[in-house]
Structure formats: C-alpha cells, structure tokens
Amino acid sequence: VLDVDLLACPACGGALRADLACRACGEVYDSPLGVPCLRSSKCDARTDEVRAFYTESPFPNYPPDETLSTLRRKAERSELARLLDLAIPGDASVVEIGCGTGQMSLFLARAERRVVAADLTRASLELGREAADRLGVDGVTFVETDLRTPGLKPGAFDVVYSSGVLHHTPDPRASFEAIARLAKPGGFVIVGLYNAYARILHRLRRLFARATGVYAFDPVLRDRRAEPARREAWLRDQYLHPLEHRHTVREVRAWFDENGIEWIRTYPSSLVSEDAPADLFVPAEDDWGPEALLAQLAWTRSLWAEGGLFVAVGRRITRARTS
Ligand SMILES: C[S@@+](CC[C@H](N)C(=O)[O-])C[C@H]1O[C@@H](n2cnc3c(N)ncnc32)[C@H](O)[C@@H]1O
C-alpha cells in the first residue's frame, strides 16, 4: 500500500491522489513494479553519473540467502542501528533519503511506523521492494526521487534519516537544506557523512589501491569474500566513486544552524571521553569546538576501517526563534 499522504508532486509540491496524479498541477506519475517514479526533471550531469554508477552496482545489495532474521541480526550488530530503533517512537513517520537497497528502512519498519525509502536509483529500489515482499515486511513505501526536488511532503516526517548520501551529491550543503525541510517541527534529522579527518587513512588505502591494483587493509572487503555482489558494491563505492566530498563537525553544525535544526550530538560522540549514548535523541552533555576537533582526530583511527563515516543528529526547531 502506497503511503501517498507522505508523498508530494516533485514538480509543484502539491498533494498526490492514490493514482499518483497531482491535485494541484495535474501531473501524473507512473509506478513501475510498485515503486513510484517521482522525479520532476532531468538530473544534472554529475547526478546522472552517480545514478548510473549505482545502477551498475546497487549498494549495499543483499546476500542471496537473506532472511528477515539475518537482516535484523546484521542490523543489530550495528550500535547505531540499535540506538536509532530504540529512539524512534513506534508510531513515527520516517523517511530514509538515499536508502540504496533499503536494509535500514526494512529494519526500522516495525510496530506502527510508516517508513518511506527514497532513492535516485531504480535498480536499488527494485531490489529493496523485492526484499520487502520476500521477507514479508509491510510498512515501507519505496520511492524513486532526487533528494534536491523530492517527491516527499515537506514537514511531514518525525524522522529524516540519510546516511552515506549527501557527500555523493554535487552540493552537499544545498542537499542538506532540501532534506531538512522534510522534518516536522520537533522532528529529528540524522545524517551520516564522510568525516574530513576520519577518512584520511582510507584515502591513503585508496591511493595505494589505485597505484598498485591491490585492495589491501580493508576488513569489509575481507568479510565479504564469499559475497561477490556485496563485495563489488563496497569496492566500487569506496574506491571508484565519481563524486565524493568530506566534511568536518564544524561545517555540518553550520548547516544545522542555517536550517533551524538544533544540534543534538554526533555518533560516535565528539566528546573525548563519552561512551555511546543511552538515547541518541538526547543532547550531548557538552559541546565545545576544540574537543570536537580532538575527537575527530581520534576518529582517524577508530573509524578508518569502515571509511570514516560519522553521524550528526539534530532536531527541527519547533517555533521560530524570537531574538
Ligand atoms: C553509498 S549509497 C548509501 C545507501 C544506504 N544509505 C546505505 O547506507 O547503505 C548512496 C545512495 O545515495 C543515493 N543517491 C545519490 N544521490 C542521490 C540523490 N540526489 N537523491 C536521492 N538519492 C541519491 C544513491 O543512489 C545510492 O543508493
């Protein structure tokens, strides 16, 4: 069942009817294989290149023997996924922007949650849609859309989650602005991005691979030896991507401020001695620039194995500030 209440016309922002016709401008959208195509116009050349890249190798893809319990077990091995699942209320509306093949969306689609899994790449969405059918997961609406002109209703979501995506768009700051407005006032915005410091060791590893053709020192590639499609997806994503940016905590904080998103915390913590939070949506105890810099330098070592991705969490301000 399509959750059309959470969707919108990408051309004019109007509400959609159940048959995917826009109530405002009359544009009608197709839904091949049950995945609505809510794209308004042609992408720019760089975004097209990113789409072609993931069409060739959908990320992260599924192992052939995936079941609901293996999917959940794998997700629960990630502390971040566990914390997200704990923090998100059971009746929340959630959108995952750049969901790829949709693992996180399928994992979060529990209880009464309404989850929209959105991505630019139809090949990935179709794998996600098939997996949802095969594994019997209801409650996820897959949507093909470009996050800069999303076919999603602004201000409709309790949680906007996007990991590993904005740094692959031509202008990550503008992309953040586009996704931040999807959150309700009081809704949470969570973005996973390559960190400028934490990715240094990966960049050296990548330099070595490009120079020698040898992909060494990569534990993810080692773990996926027996899963060729998922190994290939990781290798391409990490070593051969046509468009990649990296960001500091300070830079991402500025994006939050510009868009009326209150800063809550990073994951891992950017306090030097703080352990994992009990609640991802509770503000960090302190918030000091020099300490965040030290923490990022430490991430160079702690996050290198998985490519230096960190997560920033914020909350859309409920009312406009008066001062
Ligand atoms: C590295 S994959 C991350 C997939 C998933 N979030 C994960 O962490 O496994 C990046 C995804 O972002 C999507 N993407 C890139 N640019 C996009 C855009 N402009 N709009 C929507 N999705 C986009 C790609 O199609 C791809 O599936």
Side-chain angles (χ1 to χ4, degrees):
V1 180
L2 285 182
D3 220 337
V4 282
D5 293 353
L6 298 175
L7 308 182
C9 173
C12 77
L16 296 180
R17 293 202 313 246
D19 63 356
L20 298 180
C22 175
R23 290 179 192 278
C25 71
E27 186 76 34
V28 182
Y29 296 94
D30 282 344
S31 184
L33 300 175
V35 177
C37 177
L38 300 182
R39 298 217 335 263
S40 59
S41 52
K42 261 184 71 63
C43 294
D44 60 273
R46 297 188 83 194
T47 304
D48 260 338
E49 196 181 356
V50 170
R51 185 147 52 101
F53 179 83
Y54 285 111
T55 299
E56 204 172 309
S57 193
F59 188 93
N61 214 324
Y62 290 91
D65 53 353
E66 191 81 288
T67 63
L68 192 52
S69 48
T70 57
L71 181 133
R72 288 198 172 140
R73 253 203 321 274
K74 259 185 269 171
E76 276 162 3
R77 259 189 254 144
S78 147
E79 186 174 59
L80 174 68
R82 282 200 314 271
L83 289 170
L84 263 180
D85 190 37
L86 273 176
I88 299 175
D91 60 353
S93 51
V94 179
V95 64
E96 184 182 6
I97 304 287
C99 64
T101 51
Q103 272 84 345
M104 183 63 100
S105 289
L106 297 192
F107 174 65
L108 293 177
R110 306 193 199 212
E112 302 302 309
R113 289 181 192 143
R114 301 160 74 195
V115 179
V116 176
D119 202 281
L120 183 68
T121 308
R122 173 155 286 272
S124 302
L125 293 161
E126 287 179 357
L127 288 173
R129 169 78 275 152
E130 269 168 41
D133 291 345
R134 198 172 61 247
L135 307 181
V137 179
D138 297 327
V140 182
T141 298
F142 286 89
V143 179
E144 179 185 350
T145 201
D146 181 343
L147 64 87
R148 281 111 25 101
T149 50
L152 301 163
K153 192 168 164 191
F157 294 92
D158 297 301
V159 176
V160 176
Y161 171 75
S162 182
S163 183
V165 180
L166 303 189
H167 51 232
H168 293 313
T169 62
D171 182 349
R173 180 178 170 189
S175 297
F176 182 80
E177 186 182 345
I179 70 165
R181 45 173 110 89
L182 300 173
K184 288 179 182 170
F188 294 92
V189 177
I190 302 128
V191 286
L193 295 159
Y194 291 146
N195 182 261
Y197 301 98
R199 204 152 165 82
I200 288 173
L201 287 182
H202 173 73
R203 294 177 76 193
L204 290 173
R205 175 168 70 184
R206 185 167 63 191
L207 195 68
F208 178 78
R210 284 178 180 161
T212 62
V214 177
Y215 293 88
F217 323 116
D218 190 321
V220 178
L221 284 181
R222 260 201 311 273
D223 281 356
R224 295 188 184 176
R225 260 192 305 240
E227 297 176 61
R230 287 184 7 99
R231 184 180 188 280
E232 176 72 6
W234 177 263
L235 189 150
R236 284 170 51 82
D237 192 62
Q238 294 296 311
Y239 294 87
L240 306 172
H241 208 290
L243 177 58
E244 172 188 311
H245 302 269
R246 293 158 295 272
H247 308 281
T248 61
V249 168
R250 186 175 166 172
E251 184 185 1
V252 178
R253 283 202 62 137
W255 299 352
F256 277 47
D257 285 349
E258 287 160 13
N259 289 284
I261 307 292
E262 257 163 355
W263 183 258
I264 294 185
R265 58 167 60 252
T266 61
Y267 177 88
S269 173
S270 31
L271 303 184
V272 167
S273 58
E274 193 189 51
D275 293 332
D279 186 337
L280 200 59
F281 290 172
V282 169
E285 272 174 25
D286 199 1
D287 168 24
W288 189 43
E291 189 169 6
L293 177 60
L294 286 177
Q296 288 170 92
L297 292 172
W299 294 349
T300 305
R301 196 150 173 272
S302 59
L303 297 184
W304 84 286
E306 303 234 347
L309 191 96
F310 80 110
V311 170
V313 183
R315 185 168 203 180
R316 187 157 168 201
I317 291 165
T318 314
R319 280 181 305 250
R321 285 193 172 124
T322 46
S323 59

